[in-house]
Amino acid sequence: MVRKIEGPTRVPVPGGKVIDEYVGRVNSGDEQVSIAHMVAPAGWSEPAQAPAFAEYTLVLKGSVVVEHEGGTTVVEAGQAFASEPGEKIRYSAGPSGAEYVAVCLPAFSPDTANREE
């Protein structure tokens, strides 16, 4: 069955980052996958996490800095990265901020992000 999704639901988060979820638990009720468009200002970062979902991210503008067990990876516009469930990672925006699309399998949930305090 085809379902048209008219638009996203904006998910409030601290630190100036904007999350617009198109597909997922909040906007469409899908638990298998989430697709969100995100914009993060320069200097934005979030606590480390070890999510219970795989995440695939396509960077559209700027850069996303990914800290992980193997070091730090800078992902520029036009590049993508993937992280596996249970992998400890920490995201931040590069010096010009970041615009990106994230796909999570299963769908993102704050309860399964397993963020550090």
Side-chain angles (χ1 to χ4, degrees):
M1 174 177 78
V2 172
R3 294 181 291 145
K4 181 179 180 182
I5 298 169
E6 294 291 339
T9 296
R10 181 148 294 167
V11 179
V13 293
K17 179 178 168 184
V18 174
I19 300 175
D20 288 331
E21 181 185 275
Y22 284 82
V23 176
R25 297 174 193 270
V26 174
N27 195 56
S28 64
D30 289 276
E31 295 184 5
Q32 307 89 333
V33 63
S34 60
I35 303 171
H37 176 248
M38 303 187 197
V39 178
W44 167 84
S45 67
E46 66 183 9
Q49 59 187 356
F53 47 81
E55 186 167 357
Y56 305 90
T57 301
L58 170 63
V59 179
L60 304 173
K61 294 180 183 172
S63 59
V64 175
V65 179
V66 185
E67 297 173 40
H68 50 91
E69 187 176 300
T72 300
T73 301
V74 178
V75 186
E76 304 283 347
Q79 298 177 329
F81 66 91
S83 62
E84 297 298 320
E87 185 173 6
K88 185 175 179 179
I89 50 179
R90 181 175 180 267
Y91 299 125
S92 59
S96 61
E99 179 179 356
Y100 56 103
V101 174
V103 176
C104 299
L105 296 169
F108 172 86
S109 163
D111 295 337
T112 60
N114 300 321
R115 286 195 177 109
E116 293 182 352
E117 294 292 323

